Amino acid sequence: MLDVTSAEAVEAILTAVRPQVVIHAAAYTAVDAAENDPERARLVNTRGAANVAEAARRIDARMVHISTDYVFGGTQGRAYLPDDAPAPLSVYGRSKLDGEREVVRCRPEAVILRSAWLYSSHGSNFVLQMLERMRAGQALRVVSDQVGSPTWARSLADAVWRAAARPEVHGVHHWTDAGVATWYDFAVAVQEEAMTLNLLTNGVSIMPVTSDDYRTAARRPGFSVLDKRATWAALDLPVHHWRVNLRRMLQELAGA
């Protein structure tokens, strides 16, 4: 376990190990909790990023830094390009944007890879939370006016490793699975795919609601779709629609 908020600890471990590549995925990701704990969010997401980037610079290591679609405000009517102006709405988004800027300052050759709506077969994420509530027979109310691109963590991992192996790739890039959805669409797809794989025996009612109906401490962007075309071309990886990757992840969960 490495505390990225400690510059001394980060420098000590990187100096001892001297890796060729540093992948910085550590983050304070509790978006709502960050509103009441801004100093901790900034310490991890901003100062931590600076500490890792500075240590990577000193040992001349390749660096890939993971960031988020929440650096954008969500008012644009098209997918966000990497060089579009950020306008974060939350403490979390601002702390991640400041972390990006620290990485650029300390390690200009680094890759900053923004992603969105990540899920996997382990940890805490939207898909597993939905499955838990569906198994409990809970009727669901899910926001239908926030649009993004659900992304399997394995897809992002493939992109990270490919970016790390291509030194000509640097600067800010976007990576998500293809396609778009609302959180409501995502929840409906989770139930449909899980029923097909017998991960669920009975369906539950899923009701679309607005962000105003489902208030949270932190504001979320209404439209945070990322334009990935340049990154898809640069990394030359297979690109799958989010629903295809959702099915693959649930098959993994089911042991199929």
Side-chain angles (χ1 to χ4, degrees):
M1 184 75 70
L2 174 61
D3 179 5
V4 297
T5 68
S6 168
E8 295 78 11
V10 173
E11 182 170 1
I13 193 69
L14 263 64
T15 300
V17 176
R18 302 195 73 83
Q20 292 180 312
V21 177
V22 174
I23 299 169
H24 183 225
Y28 184 113
T29 58
V31 177
D32 291 317
E35 295 298 309
N36 294 317
D37 194 7
E39 291 308 313
R40 182 64 183 170
R42 292 188 184 103
L43 184 62
V44 176
N45 293 341
T46 305
R47 187 70 252 154
N51 290 341
V52 174
E54 179 61 23
R57 182 192 66 79
R58 290 182 181 178
I59 63 169
D60 196 26
R62 176 87 166 137
M63 180 175 176
V64 181
H65 173 74
I66 309 302
S67 193
T68 174
D69 58 327
Y70 279 21
V71 300
F72 294 114
T75 58
Q76 184 167 272
R78 59 165 174 79
Y80 283 93
L81 294 162
D83 58 356
D84 279 332
L89 303 176
S90 63
V91 168
Y92 167 73
R94 288 190 292 274
S95 68
K96 289 294 290 181
L97 177 60
D98 289 342
E100 290 184 9
R101 289 168 173 164
E102 287 296 312
V103 170
V104 171
R105 180 183 66 83
C106 298
R107 191 65 172 150
E109 304 86 354
V111 179
I112 295 170
L113 202 56
R114 294 176 181 146
S115 194
W117 296 29
L118 290 167
Y119 65 89
S120 72
S121 60
H122 57 276
S124 176
N125 59 75
F126 181 82
V127 174
L128 298 186
Q129 291 167 3
M130 290 297 102
L131 284 175
E132 181 179 359
R133 294 174 188 177
M134 290 167 183
R135 285 168 177 155
Q138 297 179 11
L140 300 173
R141 300 167 68 247
V142 185
V143 170
S144 62
D145 59 358
Q146 295 173 17
V147 181
S149 298
T151 304
W152 190 18
R154 183 172 296 178
S155 169
L156 176 60
D158 289 342
V160 166
W161 284 114
R162 181 62 63 90
R166 297 198 168 186
E168 72 276 11
V169 176
H170 63 276
V172 179
H173 288 264
H174 291 168
W175 182 275
T176 69
D177 290 334
V180 302
T182 67
W183 290 109
Y184 170 76
D185 297 329
F186 195 9
V188 169
V190 169
Q191 177 160 268
E192 290 177 354
E193 297 290 348
M195 294 281 287
T196 300
L197 292 166
N198 296 317
L199 287 168
L200 294 172
T201 55
N202 296 296
V204 301
S205 171
I206 307 175
M207 178 180 295
V209 298
T210 68
S211 299
D212 287 339
D213 293 328
Y214 192 85
R215 294 294 183 94
T216 55
R219 290 178 62 200
R220 269 78 168 170
F223 185 90
S224 60
V225 177
L226 302 176
D227 190 314
K228 291 82 61 173
R229 291 172 297 174
T231 310
W232 286 346
L235 299 187
D236 191 26
L237 282 170
V239 178
H240 301 287
H241 191 273
W242 67 265
R243 182 115 186 195
V244 171
N245 274 348
L246 172 63
R247 186 177 306 126
R248 292 171 65 196
M249 176 278 209
L250 291 173
Q251 287 171 340
E252 177 184 283
L253 197 63

